[in-house]
Amino acid sequence: MVSLMNLDEVLKGIPESHVLASADGKDFCFTSVTTDSRSVKEMSLFVPLIGENQNGHKYVPQAVEKGARVILINKSEYDSSSSVYDSLLESNKGLFFVLVENTLHALQSLAAAYVEKFPNLIKIGITGSSGKTTTKEMIVSVLKQKYFVVYTQGNFNSETGLPLSVFNIRKEHQVGVFEMGMNRVDEIGEISAVLKAKYAVITNIGTAHIGILGSQKNIAIEKRKIFNFIPSDGVAFIPAEDEFKDFLGENVKGTVTYYGTSVPMSNSSAQFIKDCGLEGTVFKFENEVIYLKNPGVYNYRNALAACAVGKALGLSASQVKAGLERFETPSGRMETKDVVLKTGVKITLIKDCYNANPDSVLNVLDFCSSIDNVGSKIFVLGDMLELGEKSAQEHARVTSKAIKAKPGLLILIGEEMKSGYEEALRVGFVNTKYIPSHDEQSIQEAAENILNFAKDGDVVLLKASHGIALERLIPVILKEVE
């Protein structure tokens, strides 16, 4: 069994670390890395983290019992409970504790050292206020047509998620595509230092997390840190329609490539052909006509980002076409299906409730406003979280946009949506139902409203932040659930 890193590499990767080993500690080895004691398996490296409400060090004994063989330990934690840790070393063979100043920073440093073991890996980073995961998955689908790709699984894109993701790199991989998210100042900067991407994509600068960072300019300052390590032969991919496009491109050492609907074909090799509504978009890339089945102009922009990356990495137009036409929408993100309600009514369901911020909500409402040849539109909008003092203003803004799309029924769910309901009352939009909570009873109430109103041919949109769990509506309203 080959360890992901040997002991010398670990000690070199984490400055000022110190190792303690069981008496027979000869075979230093770990084959996976986790911060969750529940996912520890034989030969894991376990990293106990300290948060506001939890200290992972209390799970070290369980991690050892489940098979963890290398564990990072805060020196202060060891000093305060040395007898506990010494006892674990005495009673377990092949166990190593690596004492560090801070387990989170040590994980990041170790991940950065691990990435450096693969100098030939083409590293790509992706960030943005919305559309990160969809764009990442499109890029991965395209690049798989030529390369062996490792990439972020799910939403492992945070200060811990990105470091854990890079430990999936193996020597056979040619390209690594990693998503980067943020919930605080300099989180992008920290995880960019782990990956040191040669190519990096920003999807947009919106208002997600504006309650934490204060302004869109501050968000742009943080997001562009993904370009910090781009070398002179690297590329920064920037959305041409974003108001911060020039700011994002400042001081980039590599090439700046703009992508988007406003970029002429002479630069992008892409040309829009037709918006097919719920059926997606048709466009041309070089000499290939591409049928993108994911609806909405924002998904078309995501596809243009994938085209730009594919072009930069030497893919042919036919390979780009194959990747985009094989692309499947990530779960919970603009999933569009024809379904049958429990009442026997046939509708189109747009499930976009993995997450929500004002930009993503406005995007999907723009799309819903544009579709025709359908029955009534039923919008179920839940709270958008982490908006801070701008929450009331933003919820009122998206409600105003929803009303302009002329839904037959507008259902607003959650405490933050109260300002949206007040906006509906202000403009006299009577087809509004406000449900102040998002508990199970509230879900049942929303479902009853949908079932009582919907007719054949209607379109139902579900959109809210992940914390609202709006997907709970689906088994309540559908006749059959996959």
Side-chain angles (χ1 to χ4, degrees):
M1 190 174 295
V2 179
S3 182
L4 294 180
M5 303 177 78
N6 62 41
L7 181 55
D8 287 342
E9 290 170 332
V10 169
L11 294 178
K12 184 179 178 181
I14 309 175
E16 300 181 7
S17 57
H18 175 67
V19 67
L20 298 175
S22 56
D24 67 331
K26 297 179 181 179
D27 299 319
F28 180 90
C29 182
F30 65 93
T31 57
S32 64
V33 182
T34 184
T35 59
D36 187 343
S37 61
R38 295 167 298 183
S39 62
V40 167
K41 53 190 176 184
E42 194 70 31
M43 307 307 293
S44 285
L45 184 154
F46 174 56
V47 185
L49 300 174
I50 299 177
E52 291 183 10
N53 304 310
Q54 189 73 272
N55 185 342
H57 287 81
K58 74 178 184 179
Y59 300 108
V60 168
Q62 292 95 312
V64 172
E65 185 178 349
K66 293 183 70 174
R69 286 297 168 260
V70 181
I71 301 178
L72 305 188
I73 304 287
N74 273 7
K75 289 177 181 177
S76 59
E77 291 288 330
Y78 176 79
D79 290 342
S80 64
S81 305
S82 58
S83 60
V84 174
Y85 294 112
D86 290 343
S87 176
L88 287 170
L89 289 171
E90 290 172 8
S91 56
N92 291 275
K93 295 181 179 180
L95 179 61
F96 291 78
F97 291 151
V98 180
L99 305 187
V100 300
E101 293 298 328
N102 178 292
T103 51
L104 171 60
H105 296 159
L107 170 64
Q108 294 173 343
S109 296
L110 193 62
Y114 182 74
V115 172
E116 290 175 2
K117 288 166 60 74
F118 306 92
N120 296 322
L121 183 75
I122 300 170
K123 297 173 291 184
I124 302 172
I126 300 172
T127 194
S129 295
S130 59
K132 292 186 294 296
T133 300
T134 299
T135 303
K136 174 203 71 183
E137 295 290 340
M138 282 186 178
I139 290 171
V140 168
S141 186
V142 167
L143 296 183
K144 278 184 175 181
Q145 307 310 308
K146 181 175 181 178
Y147 298 105
F148 191 22
V149 184
V150 58
Y151 55 98
T152 304
Q153 300 293 322
N155 64 337
F156 270 61
N157 61 13
S158 64
E159 61 186 2
T160 56
L162 184 279
L164 292 174
S165 291
V166 302
F167 280 107
N168 291 319
I169 299 170
R170 299 293 182 266
K171 63 181 180 180
E172 61 267 24
H173 291 128
Q174 298 169 292
V175 176
V177 183
F178 296 98
E179 185 180 327
M180 299 183 188
M182 68 174 187
N183 286 295
R184 60 172 176 79
V185 171
D186 204 37
E187 188 168 3
I188 294 290
E190 288 179 11
I191 58 183
S192 291
V194 172
L195 185 63
K196 297 181 176 67
K198 180 177 181 179
Y199 302 91
V201 181
I202 292 180
T203 60
N204 51 46
I205 302 300
T207 53
H209 309 307
I210 200 167
I212 299 169
L213 293 164
S215 71
Q216 275 188 280
K217 181 65 176 288
N218 288 341
I219 292 170
I221 289 170
E222 294 303 318
K223 292 293 187 182
R224 76 173 184 176
K225 290 178 181 179
I226 196 172
F227 299 149
N228 282 356
F229 295 90
I230 289 180
S232 59
D233 60 344
V235 183
F237 299 91
I238 295 173
E241 287 81 44
D242 199 282
E243 64 177 298
F244 291 94
K245 67 174 183 177
D246 294 330
F247 176 73
L248 295 174
E250 290 177 4
N251 302 317
V252 172
K253 292 180 180 178
T255 300
V256 172
T257 294
Y258 293 102
Y259 69 91
T261 57
S262 64
V263 178
M265 186 179 184
S266 57
N267 292 338
S268 68
S269 301
Q271 182 179 24
F272 174 81
I273 296 177
K274 184 180 180 182
D275 182 349
C276 302
L278 289 167
E279 301 302 315
T281 303
V282 182
F283 70 103
K284 191 173 184 180
F285 181 66
E286 295 181 2
N287 59 336
E288 296 285 351
V289 175
I290 298 176
Y291 296 86
L292 183 71
K293 59 179 174 286
N294 313 94
V297 67
Y298 52 97
N299 274 319
Y300 175 45
R301 289 195 192 101
N302 295 339
L304 291 175
C307 288
V309 173
K311 183 178 180 181
L313 269 65
L315 273 75
S316 67
S318 61
Q319 288 172 323
V320 172
K321 172 184 171 72
L324 287 175
E325 291 189 348
R326 292 172 185 173
F327 168 73
E328 295 293 335
T329 304
S331 178
R333 293 172 170 88
M334 201 58 185
E335 289 183 82
T336 304
K337 290 184 178 180
D338 292 329
V339 297
V340 180
L341 299 179
K342 288 185 174 178
T343 55
V345 168
K346 297 177 181 178
I347 60 136
T348 298
L349 177 67
I350 302 175
K351 176 187 171 188
D352 196 355
C353 45
Y354 180 81
N355 214 344
N357 56 57
D359 309 287
S360 65
V361 178
L362 293 173
N363 277 337
V364 75
L365 289 172
D366 267 335
F367 167 69
C368 289
S369 180
S370 71
I371 58 178
D372 50 23
N373 298 320
V374 298
S376 293
K377 299 169 186 178
I378 302 170
F379 299 157
V380 186
L381 305 180
D383 285 351
M384 303 175 291
L385 306 178
E386 299 181 342
L387 295 180
E389 63 183 20
K390 295 185 180 291
S391 181
Q393 172 188 332
E394 294 296 342
H395 282 84
R397 184 162 73 107
V398 300
T399 300
S400 176
K401 182 76 168 184
I403 291 168
K404 289 176 182 175
K406 299 179 180 178
L409 176 64
L410 176 61
I411 302 175
L412 303 174
I413 297 179
E415 184 178 346
E416 299 297 316
M417 268 296 175
K418 182 180 180 181
S419 59
Y421 181 55
E422 290 169 350
E423 173 66 13
L425 293 176
R426 186 185 71 79
V427 299
F429 188 75
V430 295
N431 298 333
T432 307
K433 174 66 179 178
Y434 175 53
I435 303 173
S437 181
H438 55 87
D439 57 15
E440 293 302 326
Q441 183 177 344
S442 301
I443 293 297
Q444 291 290 334
E445 185 178 351
E448 290 172 8
N449 277 271
I450 294 169
L451 294 173
N452 289 335
F453 183 88
K455 302 291 186 295
D456 284 341
D458 287 358
V459 174
V460 177
L461 166 68
L462 308 182
K463 183 69 175 173
S465 282
H466 190 54
I468 307 304
L470 211 52
E471 64 273 10
R472 289 176 294 163
L473 268 169
I474 295 172
V476 186
I477 63 173
L478 295 195
K479 188 173 184 179
E480 293 180 4
V481 181
E482 293 182 4

